[in-house]
Amino acid sequence: MKVAVLDINGKDTGRKADLSKDVFAIEPNNHAVYLDVKQYLANQRQGTHKSKERGEISGSTRKIKKQKGTGTARAGSIKSGVFKGGGRMFGPRPRNYSFKLNKNLKRLARKSALSIKAGEKSITVLEDFNFDAPKTKNFTAVLKALELENKKSLFVLGGSNNNVYLSSRNLKGSEVITASELSTYKILNAGQVVLLEGALEGIETNLSK
């Protein structure tokens, strides 16, 4: 699968990047994608929600009325959940939402996500670049050249590049990650995935195992 390599000015360099069919052109497995995105979102949850139950409420422990003869339901504690100011019945408790997925399934999900984006023509290959210093306007110029200023974009670098990362950090619709940080959710959440040439080998090596 051949894709033109662009420079940071959005011009064709005349080179072609050969994207592996085993990574960028497979039949997408929607269930694997669903599970991987579900796990990613579940891992973002803190799980610290808590409400007080009747045993944790401050209040009197006396029996509030006699057992029989009142014509209404029997009641023992003012802290019962049926009364105003009482405890919450079956309220949330702190819990861990994370769950395990096999590595092979997660790998399949990432390949499926990349294949979906490739099928939508939403993958751009860019030659490697760097900035002399972290400047947001430099990164904004790259986005404008690629016509991505109004689109959600994900830039995937071959390795950590502090100047490029810091230049993009202040922009809401753009994210810069390394090839090792690539996830199914981030691929699908982006309108356009921009792969730097240096990241291609790492991505294909990791996902072709």
Side-chain angles (χ1 to χ4, degrees), residues 148-167:
L148 296 176
E149 65 267 38
N150 297 318
K151 272 180 103 174
K152 266 189 180 180
S153 57
L154 178 69
F155 282 71
V156 185
L157 311 181
S160 60
N161 187 322
N162 219 33
N163 287 348
V164 175
Y165 168 71
L166 293 174
S167 299

Side-chain angles (χ1 to χ4, degrees), residues 166-198:
L166 293 174
S167 299
S168 71
R169 194 170 58 172
N170 213 25
L171 299 172
K172 201 172 185 180
S174 199
E175 186 176 6
V176 172
I177 61 172
T178 61
S180 61
E181 296 169 328
L182 197 62
S183 72
T184 305
Y185 176 83
K186 288 183 178 180
I187 295 167
L188 295 176
N189 191 44
Q192 189 77 14
V193 179
V194 181
L195 304 176
L196 270 65
E197 278 187 290

Side-chain angles (χ1 to χ4, degrees), residues 37-56:
V37 170
K38 182 181 178 183
Q39 186 196 48
Y40 178 90
L41 294 175
N43 288 342
Q44 307 307 303
R45 300 186 69 172
Q46 286 184 307
T48 53
H49 40 43
K50 177 73 174 74
S51 63
K52 287 187 177 181
E53 299 179 0
R54 61 184 289 171
E56 299 165 315

Side-chain angles (χ1 to χ4, degrees), residues 37-194:
V37 170
K38 182 181 178 183
Q39 186 196 48
Y40 178 90
L41 294 175
N43 288 342
Q44 307 307 303
R45 300 186 69 172
Q46 286 184 307
T48 53
H49 40 43
K50 177 73 174 74
S51 63
K52 287 187 177 181
E53 299 179 0
R54 61 184 289 171
E56 299 165 315
I57 295 287
S58 297
S60 172
T61 56
R62 76 177 182 87
K63 185 171 174 64
I64 59 176
K65 62 180 181 180
K66 63 182 184 176
Q67 177 79 347
K68 303 172 75 67
T70 62
T72 57
R74 55 195 172 186
S77 172
I78 196 69
K79 298 187 284 184
S80 169
V82 300
F83 296 120
K84 182 180 177 182
R88 173 89 179 268
M89 290 189 282
F90 307 112
R93 294 178 174 180
R95 57 165 289 197
N96 180 10
Y97 283 92
S98 64
F99 58 94
K100 183 182 179 298
L101 288 178
N102 292 331
K103 285 182 181 178
N104 285 340
L105 187 142
K106 290 172 72 68
R107 201 174 289 129
L108 174 61
R110 288 199 295 275
K111 288 193 287 189
S112 297
L114 288 169
S115 297
I116 290 169
K117 286 297 180 185
E120 295 171 349
K121 307 293 185 191
S122 296
I123 289 182
T124 302
V125 178
L126 197 65
E127 68 178 0
D128 292 324
F129 67 95
N130 193 11
F131 298 137
D132 295 330
K135 291 281 185 184
T136 303
K137 67 178 181 181
N138 291 344
F139 196 83
T140 305
V142 174
L143 292 178
K144 283 184 179 176
L146 298 173
E147 298 179 353
L148 296 176
E149 65 267 38
N150 297 318
K151 272 180 103 174
K152 266 189 180 180
S153 57
L154 178 69
F155 282 71
V156 185
L157 311 181
S160 60
N161 187 322
N162 219 33
N163 287 348
V164 175
Y165 168 71
L166 293 174
S167 299
S168 71
R169 194 170 58 172
N170 213 25
L171 299 172
K172 201 172 185 180
S174 199
E175 186 176 6
V176 172
I177 61 172
T178 61
S180 61
E181 296 169 328
L182 197 62
S183 72
T184 305
Y185 176 83
K186 288 183 178 180
I187 295 167
L188 295 176
N189 191 44
Q192 189 77 14
V193 179
V194 181

